Amino acid sequence: MRSRREFLKLSMAATAALALPRPAGALRGPVALQPFSVPLRIPPVMKPVRSDGERDFYEVTMRRARVEILPGSRTTIWGFDGRFPGPTFKVRRGRPIVVRRRNELGVPTTTHLHGGEVPWRSDGHPSLAIAPGDTYDFSYPNDQDAATLWYHDHLCMRTSRNNYMGLAGLYVIEDDAEDELNLPRDAFDVPLVLHDRSFAKDGSFRFRDKVDLLDGDVYLVNGRPTPFFRVANRKYRFRILNASHSRGYTLALDTGDPLMQIGSDQGLLAVATPAASIPLWPAERAEVVIDFSAYPVGTKIVLQDEADPAAARPIMRFDVARGEADDSELPTVLRSIERLVPGPTTVQRELILNKDLDTNRWVINGKPFDAGRIDIEPRLGDTEVWTFVNESTSTHPMHVHLVRFQILDRNNGQVSAGELGWKDTVRVDPSSRVRVIMRFEGFTGRYMFHCHNLAHEDHSMMGQMLVRAGAAPAPPELFEGRYVGSSSAASKFRCDLTR
């Protein structure tokens, strides 16, 4: 008799096989779609509307738009400035910015800067909404290492729907230390935002409110289905974000050549690391350098997903189209990373991840999310070790707001070289334990920790922490439940778990 886990593996393999692209007409929807039939599109870079001696100011409107994702078809999206994915922010360390977001969607929304060390009222708390027609100013200090972050909707129990409709984009922090490495830059520093989506016959997104996972039929890169990208025979830096809802990818080149990984969630690794493949779960980022000078002009190289090693799926194709000079470098040593070590005063926490079969909700330590409950109370300056214990049969990419962390160990295998840098999201495999270590710095207030499989997050796998400066009681404003500082009265969005 097969175990439940064996049955799950077989079921997942069968599902993956059904989702594989067909030889002619890979898309179940309005058009027949062949891989590599459309070019990659690069999201535009946001420009400030004004600046002063201290800060830059941006304005973004969340609105509906009809855009071409599938060739010859229009899809309604909810986008930042009407784009899918949203425009990219490029900012400098030490230069704060203010982003005024206007909500013209007709539904409540909020925005989380994923990986950002920001004041809690600018963190996009899921219970605090920007009402339709309202605006809110988000303040981002940018006082952290260079890294590839991203921003996305985080509305309580509606994150899955709002993100599926398109509310996500990249946020890149740059600094002088990284500039000195002379890595590929400008046109050779390329964002790759990965989504998977399903489409109805009219070209619309086919969103389903799933409890366990939400996988799509079509792989998208920067909002384009399995595109091609013409490159020169030189080095390129690729900033890869898994912005999918539930899907974990295993990135690899079809040539069998290694990917040179230089960064993860929170910036550069200590050393450049060759990897035959790179697992990437929702919300994780990987930065890689590919040197196309090793390939003759005319070569075509496919970046593929080998999550099912028996049936790899294409993600996009690189077409080596021209020769070009290259003065960039790829140093072996990238930066120094302080290693955090548990000590006698280190706070230890255990978070058990499971599913409540009676309510069909995902829980942490047996509890569903409650916006009125504080689950843990870290203190500024403290170092903590969190042990994620996954007692379920699903993978949980666990994300902690405000802080970055390092992975100490896994009980089901070694921590990969590509995970040895600073992280903010960690993969917790079924029936496994993962320990991470973090130091609380910067800001007090209410912050979240949760699974970044958005189906799990929306079905209650979230917790709330109150970060304190010390033992003093928290000020009342931490529990007001509304944004302060909007151009008009911001709404309080009720986090209703009855759905």
Side-chain angles (χ1 to χ4, degrees):
M1 182 174 179
R2 286 178 174 147
S3 70
R4 183 181 177 191
R5 189 172 182 186
E6 288 173 327
F7 177 78
L8 181 71
K9 287 181 178 178
L10 290 171
S11 299
M12 291 178 69
T15 301
L18 288 173
L20 290 174
R22 291 169 283 174
L27 173 66
R28 284 174 276 177
V31 298
L33 179 68
Q34 295 293 338
F36 321 127
S37 59
V38 297
L40 181 72
R41 197 162 45 199
I42 308 299
V45 175
M46 284 293 297
K47 303 296 183 186
V49 294
R50 64 184 178 90
S51 301
D52 61 23
E54 298 179 355
R55 297 174 295 179
D56 299 318
F57 296 84
Y58 295 80
E59 294 182 359
V60 178
T61 300
M62 295 172 281
R63 60 181 176 86
R64 299 169 192 253
R66 297 270 292 169
V67 302
E68 183 176 272
I69 298 175
L70 308 176
S73 180
R74 290 278 170 175
T75 301
T76 296
I77 64 144
W78 302 355
F80 293 99
D81 282 349
R83 296 182 177 274
F84 172 67
T88 298
F89 285 82
K90 284 193 174 183
V91 300
R92 297 294 299 184
R93 178 174 186 174
R95 177 74 178 179
I97 72 169
V98 175
V99 181
R100 172 163 292 179
R101 290 193 170 92
R102 178 180 299 277
N103 181 6
E104 293 184 356
L105 287 170
V107 297
T109 185
T110 188
T111 304
H112 169 52
L113 179 57
H114 186 116
E117 298 173 13
V118 303
W120 87 274
R121 289 195 174 278
S122 290
D123 190 55
H125 191 282
S127 291
L128 305 180
I130 307 172
D134 202 1
T135 63
Y136 183 72
D137 292 348
F138 292 80
S139 297
Y140 300 142
N142 300 322
D143 187 18
Q144 59 190 101
D145 290 339
T148 301
L149 313 182
W150 64 300
Y151 61 99
H152 61 84
D153 178 84
H154 208 313
L155 190 68
C156 187
M157 304 304 151
R158 299 295 183 271
T159 298
S160 187
R161 177 202 63 182
N162 291 2
N163 277 263
Y164 205 90
M165 293 302 296
L167 291 170
L170 279 181
Y171 188 100
V172 177
I173 300 178
E174 301 174 323
D175 65 16
D176 294 342
E178 190 175 282
D179 289 347
E180 291 176 1
L181 295 175
N182 194 28
L183 294 164
R185 64 183 69 189
D186 301 327
F188 309 105
D189 181 351
V190 180
L192 301 177
V193 180
L194 309 185
H195 291 95
D196 61 338
R197 290 290 187 270
S198 293
F199 294 84
K201 291 186 181 299
D202 63 359
S204 61
F205 286 138
R206 189 160 58 92
F207 171 72
R208 292 149 293 162
D209 184 15
K210 296 288 189 177
V211 176
D212 294 315
L213 59 88
L214 180 58
D215 283 345
D217 301 319
V218 181
Y219 282 7
L220 304 174
V221 185
N222 294 352
R224 303 289 276 168
T226 322
F228 66 88
F229 181 49
R230 293 190 176 95
V231 298
N233 60 350
R234 53 153 292 154
K235 293 187 288 297
Y236 282 72
R237 175 182 187 172
F238 295 100
R239 301 173 185 262
I240 309 174
L241 159 66
N242 182 351
S244 292
H245 270 53
S246 307
R247 185 183 297 279
Y249 301 86
T250 300
L251 306 177
L253 299 178
D254 70 339
T255 60
D257 296 325
L259 292 161
M260 188 63 70
Q261 186 172 355
I262 63 169
S264 61
D265 300 346
Q266 285 283 323
L268 295 176
L269 301 173
V271 296
T273 302
S277 62
I278 300 174
L280 202 67
W281 283 81
E284 289 188 305
R285 285 87 72 203
E287 297 190 29
V288 303
V289 170
I290 302 177
D291 189 350
F292 295 106
S293 67
Y295 306 101
V297 171
T299 304
K300 300 180 187 301
I301 304 133
V302 175
L303 177 67
Q304 59 190 19
D305 175 17
E306 295 184 354
D308 178 1
R313 290 189 61 176
I315 297 173
M316 65 176 293
R317 190 181 71 196
F318 303 107
D319 296 350
V320 185
R322 65 188 187 277
E324 191 160 333
D326 183 8
D327 61 357
S328 68
E329 301 175 42
L330 179 55
T332 301
V333 177
L334 299 169
R335 68 164 169 171
S336 174
I337 294 180
E338 175 196 6
R339 304 309 304 181
L340 302 184
V341 180
T345 62
T346 300
V347 177
Q348 302 282 340
R349 302 188 191 274
E350 184 174 80
L351 296 99
I352 299 174
L353 315 175
N354 216 329
K355 191 176 189 181
D356 185 332
L357 298 180
D358 293 331
T359 61
N360 201 31
R361 284 192 276 176
W362 293 97
V363 294
I364 301 176
N365 289 342
K367 297 177 181 179
F369 176 64
D370 182 344
R373 184 188 70 233
I374 297 296
D375 297 285
I376 61 176
E377 298 190 20
R379 294 181 304 177
L380 287 183
D382 280 359
T383 298
E384 299 197 357
V385 170
W386 291 16
T387 302
F388 293 107
V389 182
N390 187 354
E391 295 185 350
S392 77
T393 55
S394 294
T395 298
H396 300 295
M398 297 302 297
H399 171 50
V400 184
H401 288 214
L402 177 65
V403 295
R404 59 184 184 174
F405 55 73
Q406 295 169 3
I407 304 174
L408 290 174
D409 50 52
R410 302 177 182 275
N411 74 334
N412 65 332
Q414 290 186 335
V415 179
S416 71
E419 295 179 302
L420 291 178
W422 289 104
K423 298 273 291 171
D424 56 52
T425 307
V426 61
R427 180 190 87 249
V428 188
D429 296 321
S431 303
S432 74
R433 302 168 65 95
V434 179
R435 291 195 310 150
V436 302
I437 187 169
M438 63 196 78
R439 182 189 297 131
F440 282 85
E441 296 174 319
F443 300 99
T444 59
R446 299 171 76 178
Y447 294 90
M448 306 299 300
F449 56 94
H450 59 88
C451 178
H452 224 287
N453 177 333
L454 299 186
H456 297 176
E457 176 182 336
D458 262 10
H459 290 84
S460 207
M461 190 169 260
M462 294 194 293
Q464 189 172 208
M465 56 186 179
L466 177 60
V467 181
R468 296 178 178 273
E477 66 93 16
L478 290 179
F479 299 94
E480 286 181 357
R482 65 185 180 85
Y483 278 131
V484 175
S486 60
S487 60
S488 61
S491 72
K492 175 181 177 181
F493 182 80
R494 181 177 179 181
C495 189
D496 183 1
L497 294 181
T498 64
R499 304 185 65 80

